[in-house]
Amino acid sequence: VFNGPFSNTRSVAELVIGHAIHLLRRIPERHAAARRGQWLKDARGSNEIRGKILGIVGYGKIGMQTGLLAEAIGMRVVYHDVEARLPLGNATPAATLAALLREADVVTLHVPQTERTRLLIDAERLAQMKPDAVLIGIAPVGGRLPEQWRTWLAEALDAGCDIWSGLHSFLADDPMLVEKARASGARLLDLRKPPADIPVSSGRAKEVDALVVLTVGTDCNVGKMTAQLQLVKELKARGQRTTFVATGQ
């Protein structure tokens, strides 16, 4: 096992582009509707990514790779960083964060979590963005709804905005937000909320008599999964019945 600080740089950049396409085409909304038994066939509000402007906040290794991929599929790239950065490709620096937010169709955040970047995107910053802009990279710790966001969500619902949430905290379980959505006619969509009739784990794994090797850690770069997959490969090569189980976060 070794530390590979740039091992997942390209992977994250590709994931950002995937999320951008996903959101610009409103796939989460349609996927959630399909799981509820609805089929949304119209393409209103769905857009291609070509010709859109990508705003990168934090132009480090991941930000640069994201910009290169974005240009390759026809996007124009602007970026903002607290340090002077030489652009790759045709990317151009934005004079301020506010200028980037006003211009970009897709905004992606690639900054470390510090006191300086905590709540970097707040209600004031959101108001500077285009009404139909996409914001990627604001996942809070543990996927839980920060209390500060609750006020912003309430204001958005009062303004008639639909809210799609990928958090582990379900917005539809919040009585205040539900009431505001009802009053304004807006929709709350909890994309992680499973259908009521979906089958879940039965706990049968507890009955299996097996040696369990658990790999845990706090750094996503140290190679936990790689080590486990190599271990499974070698054990299978030696005739051992072995299974890899990815438990997620």
Side-chain angles (χ1 to χ4, degrees):
V1 178
F2 61 91
N3 183 29
F6 305 117
S7 61
N8 64 349
T9 298
R10 189 74 172 193
S11 298
V12 176
E14 289 183 7
L15 187 63
V16 170
I17 299 300
H19 282 328
I21 295 173
H22 205 62
L23 293 169
L24 285 173
R25 291 183 175 235
R26 301 174 68 98
I27 292 174
E29 178 187 10
R30 284 155 173 75
H31 177 252
R35 295 204 306 174
R36 295 192 303 269
Q38 298 174 300
W39 185 245
L40 304 181
K41 297 179 66 175
D42 70 272
R44 285 177 298 176
S46 300
N47 296 288
E48 292 183 350
I49 200 169
R50 181 180 56 181
K52 297 297 184 182
I53 300 173
L54 175 67
I56 302 172
V57 181
Y59 198 60
K61 293 291 190 297
I62 294 176
M64 290 179 180
Q65 288 295 315
T66 303
L68 290 176
L69 290 178
E71 284 192 354
I73 56 175
M75 299 188 80
R76 184 162 70 83
V77 177
V78 295
Y79 68 90
H80 176 73
D81 200 294
V82 294
E83 299 179 2
R85 301 280 189 179
L86 290 174
L88 294 183
N90 296 313
T92 57
T96 63
L97 176 57
L100 180 147
L101 295 176
R102 286 193 295 268
E103 185 177 10
D105 300 296
V106 178
V107 177
T108 178
L109 308 182
H110 299 287
V111 295
Q113 184 173 330
T114 65
E115 281 303 311
R116 187 175 182 179
T117 60
R118 183 173 178 271
L119 295 179
L120 177 66
I121 303 297
D122 54 16
E124 179 182 355
R125 296 295 192 193
L126 288 172
Q128 294 168 350
M129 297 175 62
K130 297 177 180 179
D132 58 350
V134 169
L135 178 60
I136 299 172
I138 58 168
V141 176
R144 295 183 295 272
L145 177 68
E147 187 58 34
Q148 297 96 326
W149 290 17
R150 200 163 171 264
T151 301
W152 307 339
L153 295 178
E155 293 175 357
L157 290 170
D158 286 340
C161 296
D162 294 338
I163 297 178
W164 310 346
S165 172
L167 300 177
H168 294 288
S169 301
F170 296 145
L171 303 187
D173 292 340
D174 187 314
M176 185 270 283
L177 296 180
V178 170
E179 175 56 29
K180 285 190 171 292
R182 185 198 63 76
S184 67
R187 293 178 297 167
L188 287 174
L189 297 174
D190 289 305
L191 302 179
R192 287 185 181 269
K193 195 166 190 176
D197 57 350
I198 191 171
V200 296
S201 174
S202 62
R204 291 175 57 195
K206 294 185 296 184
E207 304 170 4
V208 178
D209 183 16
L211 173 65
V212 177
V213 179
L214 176 64
T215 307
V216 296
T218 58
D219 188 341
C220 66
N221 290 326
V222 297
K224 300 183 296 296
M225 182 179 292
T226 301
Q228 283 279 36
L229 292 174
Q230 288 297 317
L231 183 60
V232 169
K233 179 181 178 181
E234 290 301 321
L235 287 170
K236 286 185 174 180
R238 300 182 186 189
Q240 298 293 324
R241 184 182 177 191
T242 308
T243 300
F244 171 72
V245 179
T247 58
Q249 299 180 8

